[in-house]
Amino acid sequence: MRCVTRDLLLKCVRLIILITSNHALRGSVAHISSIPLAPTIMISFPRKSLFRSVLLMAVLIASVSRQGFADYDADVIVYGSTPGGFCAAIAAAREGASVILLEPTRHVGAMSTGGLSHCDSNQMARSTVMGLFDEWHTRVVRDYTDRGLQAPYDPALKDQSRWTFEPHVAMRVTLRMLDEAGVKVLTERYLRSVTMDGPRITSLVTKDDSFTARVFVDGTYEGDLMAATGVDWTIGREGRAEYGESLAGKRYPKAKMAIDGFDSQGNLLPLVTTDDAGEEAAGDKNVMVYSFRLCLTENPDNRVPMPKPANYDPARFEIVRRALQAGERRVGFDLYPLPGGKLDGNNSIGGQFSLGLVGGGNDWHSADEAGRQAIWEAHKQYTLEFIHFLTTDPAVPDAIRNQYVKLGLCKDEFAGWDHFSPALYVRESRRMIGMHVISQRDILESPEQDDPIAVSSFPIDSHDCQRVAIKGGGVINEGTIFPVRRQNPKQGYAYHVPYRAIVPKPDQCDNLLVPVALSCTHVGISSLRIEGTWMIIGQSAGIAAATAAASDLAVQEIPYPQLRQRLIAQGQVLELPEVIELPPASGSIDPNGLPGIVLDDAAAKLNGEWAVSTNFKPHIGSGYRYCGEPGDKTKGDGSATATFRITVPESGEYELAMAYSAHETRATNVPVTVISGEHQQTVSVDQTVPLPSGQYFRPIGNVTLVSDVETVITITNRDTAGFVIVDAIRLLPKD
């Protein structure tokens, strides 16, 4: 490994300039005789001879100019020290791999060590969240008890109690586990580029160094390494029809505020993001709000006064002022008690105005290092301004002001960041489009997978994505999904995370694993986006990375039985818990409330082998019929038929439309034949094509129908491969 870095070059140059430009330094060389130049290098300068010092510097500079950046090599390189990233690194190292963990910032551990100190696993089936997650929490508690302090919680009890800890304790435990595993941790290594040989990453280049490995793991919230390789990914929210998700598209569960969102010139007020939220069933590029998790205290012995924001403009909070004057009281943020007399401050998912800067994170994924720093600073500025508003503005009621006015930052936390939380809470960013996309259906309807690497069970839960000013009056927050979960106990529905969801398509990259920005929809990430889940998925990714490196296999080619054996050996739980309470049925569309002549599948005469399903939502009526098999290349013989008979009220031309759940497993050539009197027409329907945004039907052609005879519409499996879906047919008069 070459270990001369650009930092070394800069230090050498600065030292030569100082020495050669100031002879008075001759007597002071001893004071700079030992300067740290890199994490593993110390250079001792000769004290007796200025000439020898300068000569040594010249030699070093020449060496740097010849060698360039440092080169590192390992079996596995993990980029990003989020909880998913550092658990991947530890797990891979415990499997015997040499591992380097690269962190683009100077903070290791992201949210788990950066302020998120109330563990959200109280809403999960804790008996399934084991492995490194369970070990990490056991060590956190031991850190307290070994110092003679009371245990803040009991990780052996898998109940719904809150698990809370202090950030500096979380950091101490994290670094110790990395060190014990033999993971080399390098900070401030911001990704610049990757080199590829076909579908294989050969090296990763940061601003200072170059890294080679057999297998790479993207441990970032943003999927930065994944995106650099050219792997398919997406950002924002899908429409409801894309994956048949009833929770997709726009969401308006919060009450509209009876206030004006415009100023006197008709411009949007600050903190309002749009006056056009888009079609309700359509997707967009918005992500749920980012914020900080603040570590706060009222204890005067440990309290640092809350910093006053620079250039504070009260006009920025006019929309909040109007809401308060209209009687709105859901303004502020949540506070969770922590050990040490501290509090964890979090954006309130049910609040109208809170710590989340709505719309502020939409460009985070595409920003460079300087751009992200600017977005980070903008969120910090908003946070300080919002707290300043809450504690000083005359419009804020005393009951709200008194909750926050005594709070300050903690002297014993985040000293290197002026005691402010270092990690921005990136709740969602890029998401890979890999070999399997986890959607609402996988969580609520079909939770079992053939290749599980973890059990996830946090509720589907999204914070605001937009704040909308309504023309004519009113402001409403859009995008919230309040927790979709069981009622007793209040925890999410357990489901498998398949291995296929963390690997790219093999032709795109065959030595990359993506456990954090994994392959899922916005609805999917709304459940997966929790540190505990990312820790166990990251652990499984690390085991898979070590396995692929040791066997010289593409990550897609690892035999699942072999991987499963190693997952269980490292303490992972792969069996779903016993389900006591199932999700309520939803997503049914009443055909009687739709325009035109709607023929539901329940009205069809069926021949051959058809099955009934409600898996994909929304659907017309109580469900839909299907025949065929996924991936089946054998063409259908036409024995499965669904026949509708109808007499139309008037003769003429009609638009023929079809309802079905689009998916890659569907047939691409479903024949639909319409016979009405002397008129006969057959159209071929590709059921992999999504329905129009916000629509329940897709037009498939125009047909001529006669009113004085019976019209017969037949759907068959003749010459089809894959599933044939029959949900409903609609006829609309063209005039």
Side-chain angles (χ1 to χ4, degrees):
M1 179 183 73
R2 291 200 304 263
C3 49
V4 179
T5 68
R6 186 171 62 180
D7 288 342
L8 171 59
L9 170 62
L10 294 175
K11 287 186 173 109
C12 293
V13 170
R14 284 196 292 266
L15 188 58
I16 285 183
I17 292 172
L18 285 170
I19 293 173
T20 57
S21 63
N22 190 348
H23 293 287
L25 279 175
R26 290 182 180 181
S28 303
V29 172
H31 297 295
I32 53 174
S33 64
S34 184
I35 298 177
L37 296 173
T40 58
I41 302 174
M42 295 290 291
I43 299 295
S44 294
F45 295 108
R47 301 185 179 187
K48 297 182 178 179
S49 170
L50 175 63
F51 173 76
R52 288 171 61 194
S53 298
V54 174
L55 180 62
L56 176 58
M57 292 299 96
V59 170
L60 286 172
I61 291 175
S63 174
V64 170
S65 66
R66 288 195 306 269
Q67 297 187 46
F69 294 167
D71 291 336
Y72 294 86
D73 182 71
D75 296 325
V76 176
I77 288 176
V78 180
Y79 181 71
S81 69
T82 66
F86 74 69
C87 283
I90 293 169
R94 289 183 178 182
E95 291 293 294
S98 59
V99 181
I100 299 174
L101 174 60
L102 304 176
E103 167 54 39
T105 72
R106 57 190 176 96
H107 172 75
V108 174
M111 294 308 300
S112 283
T113 59
L116 198 162
S117 301
H118 157 41
C119 176
D120 296 289
S121 65
N122 64 303
Q123 298 189 67
M124 303 171 72
R126 278 187 170 135
S127 62
T128 66
V129 194
M130 297 297 291
L132 285 176
F133 170 85
D134 186 66
E135 179 184 341
W136 189 85
H137 278 280
T138 300
R139 287 180 172 230
V140 165
V141 171
R142 190 185 307 149
D143 186 285
Y144 285 95
T145 58
D146 284 351
R147 290 181 285 133
L149 300 175
Q150 181 179 353
Y153 54 92
D154 184 354
L157 293 178
K158 307 303 181 184
D159 57 10
Q160 309 311 128
S161 61
R162 287 180 175 176
W163 292 2
T164 59
F165 46 85
E166 294 166 274
H168 73 272
V169 175
M171 178 65 80
R172 185 159 55 227
V173 168
T174 300
L175 294 179
R176 185 175 297 147
M177 290 178 69
L178 286 163
D179 181 64
E180 290 173 0
V183 175
K184 185 178 185 64
V185 180
L186 299 175
T187 59
E188 297 184 272
R189 291 331 200 258
Y190 198 93
L191 176 66
R192 287 290 182 257
S193 64
V194 298
T195 57
M196 304 282 293
D197 182 7
R200 178 158 299 184
I201 306 171
T202 56
S203 67
L204 180 160
V205 179
T206 69
K207 62 182 179 182
D208 293 312
D209 312 301
S210 177
F211 300 85
T212 57
R214 175 59 185 83
V215 181
F216 293 79
V217 178
D218 188 335
T220 65
Y221 293 127
E222 302 85 4
D224 287 336
L225 176 56
M226 168 194 73
T229 67
V231 166
D232 288 342
W233 56 272
T234 188
I235 189 79
R237 301 183 286 178
E238 292 81 6
R240 292 175 191 165
E242 189 168 350
Y243 289 91
E245 297 175 305
S246 61
L247 297 173
K250 309 301 186 297
R251 305 287 305 175
Y252 297 96
K254 294 183 181 179
K256 180 176 70 173
M257 294 175 279
I259 56 176
D260 188 358
F262 300 90
D263 64 16
S264 57
Q265 284 76 45
N267 300 312
L268 291 174
L269 287 174
L271 306 182
V272 178
T273 62
T274 185
D275 60 1
D276 182 8
E279 295 181 24
E280 187 167 335
D284 56 32
K285 299 303 180 184
N286 295 310
V287 298
M288 68 179 93
V289 294
Y290 296 176
S291 61
F292 290 99
R293 293 291 288 260
L294 303 175
C295 192
L296 306 166
T297 187
E298 294 182 358
N299 179 4
D301 294 332
N302 194 36
R303 185 180 63 212
V304 176
M306 189 65 65
K308 292 184 179 180
N311 304 314
Y312 173 70
D313 182 1
R316 186 180 192 188
F317 293 90
E318 174 60 22
I319 188 68
V320 190
R321 198 173 290 110
R322 292 182 185 183
L324 290 168
Q325 292 168 349
E328 180 60 61
R329 292 298 178 264
R330 287 167 293 182
V331 176
F333 52 94
D334 297 337
L335 292 167
Y336 311 121
L338 304 178
K342 300 171 185 176
L343 296 160
D344 176 350
N346 185 25
N347 183 66
S348 174
I349 190 172
Q352 298 283 24
F353 300 94
S354 192
L355 292 178
L357 179 56
V358 180
N362 287 342
D363 296 327
W364 175 267
H365 74 283
S366 58
D368 60 12
E369 184 177 10
R372 286 188 184 170
Q373 183 60 34
I375 295 171
W376 190 97
E377 293 290 352
H379 279 77
K380 180 179 180 181
Q381 178 73 11
Y382 166 76
T383 302
L384 296 178
E385 287 185 354
F386 182 62
I387 294 174
H388 189 73
F389 170 82
L390 291 177
T391 55
T392 64
D393 198 281
V396 178
D398 290 343
I400 295 178
R401 179 183 296 108
N402 292 338
Q403 294 181 65
Y404 309 109
V405 71
K406 296 180 181 180
L407 295 175
L409 303 177
C410 301
K411 289 181 183 178
D412 60 348
E413 301 288 357
F414 312 131
W417 287 266
D418 295 326
H419 310 288
F420 191 85
S421 300
L424 184 61
Y425 197 171
V426 178
R427 290 183 169 89
E428 73 168 320
S429 188
R430 295 185 186 96
R431 304 185 304 279
M432 180 172 66
I433 303 175
M435 293 185 67
H436 180 88
V437 179
I438 299 173
S439 68
Q440 179 180 329
R441 178 177 181 270
D442 295 298
I443 299 172
L444 299 181
E445 299 165 17
S446 301
E448 293 191 68
Q449 300 288 344
D450 294 332
D451 55 343
I453 57 169
V455 174
S456 178
S457 58
F458 188 75
I460 300 173
D461 155 334
S462 173
H463 289 241
D464 295 333
C465 298
Q466 299 184 91
R467 183 171 290 125
V468 187
I470 301 170
K471 296 172 182 177
V475 173
I476 190 166
N477 289 341
E478 186 277 314
T480 297
I481 304 175
F482 284 122
V484 178
R485 62 190 178 192
R486 298 165 57 188
Q487 294 304 306
N488 186 27
K490 289 187 176 181
Q491 60 183 218
Y493 297 100
Y495 59 96
H496 279 147
V497 177
Y499 180 62
R500 288 163 294 147
I502 69 168
V503 295
K505 298 166 187 173
D507 61 327
Q508 295 182 350
C509 191
D510 67 8
N511 66 335
L512 173 68
L513 293 136
V514 187
V516 181
L518 71 166
S519 180
C520 61
T521 64
H522 167 78
V523 175
I525 202 66
S526 296
S527 169
L528 291 157
R529 64 173 189 85
I530 218 69
E531 310 309 306
T533 300
W534 274 327
M535 288 175 80
I536 56 176
I537 299 174
Q539 179 179 0
S540 294
I543 295 169
T547 302
S551 304
D552 196 26
L553 290 171
V555 294
Q556 296 86 356
E557 295 175 354
I558 298 174
Y560 178 71
Q562 177 185 354
L563 176 60
R564 181 184 179 92
Q565 182 182 34
R566 295 311 309 154
L567 297 178
I568 294 173
Q570 278 209 27
Q572 295 284 50
V573 173
L574 303 178
E575 301 299 327
L576 293 175
E578 181 180 354
V579 176
I580 301 173
E581 178 186 348
L582 294 172
S586 61
S588 176
I589 307 301
D590 184 2
N592 296 319
L594 299 174
I597 302 171
V598 177
L599 307 173
D600 185 37
D601 64 286
K605 180 179 179 181
L606 303 174
N607 290 311
E609 295 183 1
W610 293 91
V612 180
S613 179
T614 59
N615 283 346
F616 280 78
K617 296 179 176 63
H619 50 69
I620 309 302
S622 59
Y624 56 89
R625 316 291 171 126
Y626 69 93
C627 67
E629 295 290 340
D632 188 357
K633 302 301 182 183
T634 303
K635 292 184 177 181
D637 59 4
S639 62
T641 63
T643 303
F644 299 91
R645 297 180 180 273
I646 180 72
T647 300
V648 297
E650 295 181 7
S651 298
E653 190 176 24
Y654 286 74
E655 178 193 80
L656 176 67
M658 192 176 197
Y660 59 88
S661 51
H663 195 264
E664 61 186 5
T665 60
R666 305 321 192 209
T668 60
N669 60 334
V670 178
V672 180
T673 300
V674 181
I675 301 175
S676 185
E678 297 180 352
H679 304 281
Q680 178 173 333
Q681 184 175 347
T682 298
V683 296
S684 179
V685 181
D686 183 353
Q687 292 191 333
T688 68
V689 176
L691 276 62
S693 178
Q695 302 298 313
Y696 299 127
F697 291 85
R698 175 185 158 213
I700 59 175
N702 297 324
V703 293
T704 300
L705 306 181
V706 182
S707 61
D708 56 358
V709 298
E710 188 178 62
T711 294
V712 179
I713 304 173
T714 304
I715 303 170
T716 81
N717 70 334
R718 182 172 299 281
D719 295 327
T720 60
F723 285 124
V724 173
I725 306 297
V726 177
D727 190 358
I729 291 292
R730 185 185 68 187
L731 297 167
L732 280 176
K734 288 291 290 181
D735 58 354

